[in-house]
Amino acid sequence: MACADSKVDLEKIPLVALNMSVRKKLGLYLNPKHTVAADWMALAEAMGFNYLEIKNYEVSKNPTCTVLEDWQARSTDTSVGKLLSMLSELDREDIVEDLRPLINEDVRKYCENLKKKAEPPLQVPEVDSCVPRTPERSGITVDDDPEGVPEMFDAFICYCQSDFAFVHEMIRELEQTDYKLKLCVFDRDVLPGSCVWTITSELIEKRCKRMVVVISDEYLNSDACDFQTKFALSLCPGARSKRLIPVIYKPMTKPFPSILRFLTICDYTRPCTQAWFWTRLAKALSLP
């Protein structure tokens, strides 16, 4: 186990365990261009990024953070231990030594959260004594049969409330047409009273073949959408299974999320390709 009580194996701790504070401090060490010490460019090269990709990162406000996000998204071989090994190989033991206490603390919190998620939630006898208790992670959607096969979906729709009108259009175009796809829309399909994060993880990982991410300026400010997107990416590093499909349906004023930059986008805002939008999306969601 990566988070065994005796000793934590950093090679098995995913990069997502490192919070933004540690990543920003890494940037303080690596972003400045050094003539002697290895900087973020050397780290990006060690991670496998090519010359053109590294040049594109130069325009980023914090290239170190951007490189870490993209490395985490595109590779299956990312871990805290791997990052520390790379820094040591680049003779940046100064960074490893200075940030080790902060990294250890992040890893400790990550392992604690894993243990909490693995523990069954506490039940209050007075609340559920009148009805049979539903087993954890069954009977969570409207059409679920707690005694039978759980309800399955073609795609989980990741969206924020301000984009719900487009989600309605998606339902009309994909469910109520010849495509006959089955979408998981949280506000419509999930029963109230369950832990949001637990149920969301269950639906994305085990109940839905794909996930459609409705990208907008409001999406960028949504903690729920951020969790859902990163969780789905962790299930398919490098998009090998085409599990996650970003969709843009209206113009944006904010930058497109860098963590999704390597994925093919379904863009509804381009008039020249709008006629093909629903067909392309439906075909992608119909894949086995």
Side-chain angles (χ1 to χ4, degrees):
M1 292 288 291
C3 292
D5 292 335
S6 56
K7 186 177 181 181
V8 175
D9 184 357
L10 294 180
E11 291 292 335
K12 294 181 180 178
I13 299 295
L15 205 62
V16 71
L18 298 184
N19 66 30
M20 190 53 66
S21 176
V22 168
R23 294 175 188 234
K24 286 181 177 179
K25 283 184 170 61
L26 273 170
L28 294 177
Y29 285 94
L30 295 171
N31 287 340
K33 290 187 176 181
H34 293 282
T35 55
V36 179
D39 58 13
W40 70 268
M41 292 185 182
L43 180 62
E45 187 175 353
M47 290 173 172
F49 292 97
N50 61 40
Y51 173 78
L52 290 177
E53 289 174 319
I54 293 173
K55 291 296 289 183
N56 285 332
Y57 289 133
E58 289 183 349
V59 300
S60 174
K61 291 182 179 179
N62 191 333
T64 299
C65 285
T66 306
V67 165
L68 288 174
E69 284 184 359
D70 285 2
W71 183 51
Q72 176 182 319
R74 71 188 283 179
S75 174
T76 58
D77 189 27
T78 62
S79 68
V80 174
K82 185 75 172 177
L83 174 63
L84 295 179
S85 296
M86 287 181 177
L87 290 171
S88 296
E89 291 169 4
L90 294 171
D91 293 327
R92 293 309 306 262
E93 288 287 355
D94 57 318
I95 300 177
V96 176
E97 291 177 6
D98 288 353
L99 296 187
R100 175 71 78 168
L102 295 175
I103 291 172
N104 287 344
E105 178 63 14
D106 278 0
V107 170
R108 183 188 67 78
K109 290 179 180 178
Y110 173 80
C111 290
E112 283 185 356
N113 286 334
L114 282 185
K115 291 178 182 177
K116 287 179 182 178
K117 289 178 181 179
E119 295 172 356
L122 293 175
Q123 299 290 331
V124 182
E126 289 78 4
V127 172
D128 59 4
S129 59
C130 297
V131 295
R133 200 175 82 174
T134 302
E136 179 68 11
R137 301 195 181 187
S138 64
I140 62 176
T141 61
V142 172
D143 291 333
D144 251 358
D145 179 4
E147 303 300 325
V149 179
E151 185 178 12
M152 305 300 288
F153 301 88
D154 291 301
F156 182 92
I157 310 301
C158 172
Y159 63 93
C160 59
Q161 292 300 314
S162 61
D163 299 323
F164 202 53
F166 180 72
V167 175
H168 274 285
E169 185 176 357
M170 193 178 295
I171 291 170
R172 288 194 300 270
E173 294 290 340
L174 299 177
E175 286 192 338
Q176 300 169 8
T177 59
D178 291 340
Y179 297 124
K180 299 188 185 306
L181 292 167
K182 191 176 178 66
L183 307 179
C184 182
V185 179
F186 199 92
D187 291 289
R188 179 192 67 174
D189 297 310
V190 177
L191 295 173
S194 302
C195 172
V196 173
W197 308 115
T198 302
I199 299 309
T200 301
S201 303
E202 165 81 6
L203 290 168
I204 294 173
E205 182 177 9
K206 298 179 180 178
R207 305 281 197 96
C208 301
K209 293 192 297 182
R210 304 278 187 276
M211 185 168 97
V212 176
V213 185
V214 181
I215 307 293
S216 65
D217 288 337
E218 294 78 12
Y219 160 91
L220 298 173
N221 297 322
S222 169
D223 290 337
C225 289
D226 182 64
F227 168 79
Q228 292 166 13
T229 302
K230 289 179 177 176
F231 181 78
L233 280 173
S234 72
L235 300 175
C236 59
R240 286 171 174 80
S241 63
K242 299 183 178 65
R243 187 183 184 103
L244 197 148
I245 303 170
V247 166
I248 299 178
Y249 80 97
K250 64 181 180 181
M252 296 178 62
T253 59
K254 298 178 181 178
F256 188 82
S258 60
I259 198 170
L260 299 176
R261 193 169 50 217
F262 69 98
L263 292 173
T264 305
I265 302 168
C266 211
D267 193 346
Y268 194 64
T269 65
R270 298 174 60 197
C272 58
T273 62
Q274 222 171 60
W276 306 320
F277 177 86
W278 295 113
T279 301
R280 291 179 65 226
L281 183 55
K283 292 272 188 180
L285 297 180
S286 300
L287 293 172

